[in-house]
Amino acid sequence: MNTTTQTLAGAPWKQGVKDAIPLLGGYIPVAISFGLISVQSGFSVLETILISTFIYAGASQFLFVAMAASGAPLWLVVIMTLLINARHVVYGPNLSPFLNQDKKWLPLMHGLTDQIFALAHARLPQLPGQARLGWYTGAAVLAWLSWIAGTALGAIAGGELTQRWPLINDVLPFALPALFFVLIIPRCNNRLWSLTIALSAVTAVILKMSGYPNVAIPLAAMSGAVLFFALKNQPIVGEH
Amino acid sequence: MDTSMWLALVSIAIGTYLIRLLPYMWMKRSLAKRQTEDGVGSMPTWLTILGPTMIAAMFGTSLVPAHSDVVSWFATGVGILVTFGVWTRTRSMGLPILCGVVAFGVIRLLLPVSLV
């Protein structure tokens, strides 16, 4: 990653908000879909909004409402939804070298989603230490509020919205792969990392298309890591 | 929702938060113990590898279009190429993403679904 420290012209939280704006293209359509499906599954508008506010994890929420609506045992619902989120265990440790000892980081970990992790992992090393808390707060809070607002919109008027503007669901979500792409492409600065990144991405595509979307991210990431360790001492592709 | 459903909701919410919080606290304490100046250097290597590979995997999963037809895949390919092209010129985040989304959207709109 580019670790050149940047100076910020404005307040750090404003830069965080600005950097997180591309996330909205992915968050809002998915949140609208969740709001719609949740209400159709029998949850009230308020319950739906509370689910998004406090669980705040896309795949888990969809699984939660689907399993709850199908009458699955609740202990199984809890275990399955937490298992889906198990990949998050590596996010905090990866960011921790860039965060100071401020206690405000603790509640902010609620906002550490896949997308915020990807964004923070690329941006925090580039920011001066004193700007990181404000930057992360701006980015994470915008993403959280957009998720809640999108959910509310979907729960209240999702059916009509997606019927009238189907492109909301079809076009805007492309912002997510585009975002991940610009976050990961600077890492491809040598053959070893290029191969590692390529294998992770291709494996994820194959797993998702094969019907395993929930294990695609951890398994694809592990396959890339295995390749990295297998090749790192090979002189042709090595880092040095 | 009945009481048991609320309990499940609260359990998932707390569990998800702890999954995000506890590993961070563990690493923070571990780094503080070592008291090294370069925190990244003292992290386990496998963890520093998993960060970028996780992002690459997220890129892969998000790349698969909702409707897996020829037009969507073509639009996805063009969208990524346009994103890359603009990124190589600007080395920024916002403009490449915006151009990529517009390119993706234009192709989805212009090419007839009958190509599927």
Side-chain angles (χ1 to χ4, degrees), chain A residues 19 22 43 47 50 54-57 64 68 74 81-82 85 87-94 96-101 105-107 109-110 112 114 119 167 170-171 174-175 177 179-182 184-186 193 196-197 200-201 204-205 208-209 216-217 220-221 228-229, chain B residues 1 4-6 8-9 11-13 15-17 19-21 23-28 31-32 39-40 43 45-64 67-68 73 76 79-80 83-84 87 92-93 96-97 100-101 104-105 108-109:
Chain A
D19 288 347
F43 291 92
E47 288 162 355
L50 289 176
F54 293 110
I55 296 183
Y56 189 34
F64 174 69
L74 287 177
T81 50
L82 291 179
N85 286 335
R87 67 182 182 279
H88 291 192
V89 296
V90 301
Y91 295 170
N94 259 286
S96 58
F98 309 115
L99 315 183
N100 61 21
Q101 298 293 341
W105 285 111
L106 303 184
M109 287 298 127
H110 176 58
L112 192 57
D114 294 329
L119 193 60
L167 288 180
D170 287 346
V171 175
F174 188 76
L179 171 70
F180 290 133
F181 183 72
V182 298
I184 200 60
I185 199 71
W193 270 110
T196 301
I197 298 297
S200 303
V205 169
K208 184 162 182 192
M209 291 189 70
I217 292 174
F228 182 93
F229 283 110
Chain B
M1 282 201 300
S4 56
M5 192 67 82
W6 279 110
L9 170 61
S11 305
I12 295 166
T16 302
Y17 175 60
I19 284 172
R20 290 167 178 166
L21 176 73
Y24 157 73
M25 292 176 69
W26 162 74
M27 181 54 72
K28 204 73 199 159
L31 292 177
V40 180
M43 278 176 68
T45 311
W46 62 268
L47 204 50
T48 61
I49 305 303
L50 268 182
T53 58
M54 280 277 191
I55 300 171
M58 289 178 216
F59 167 63
T61 55
S62 63
L63 205 55
V64 179
H67 311 288
S68 205
W73 275 111
T76 300
I80 289 298
T83 305
F84 181 62
W87 178 82
S92 63
M93 271 180 40
I97 294 169
V101 171
F104 176 85
R108 288 279 292 128
L109 278 174

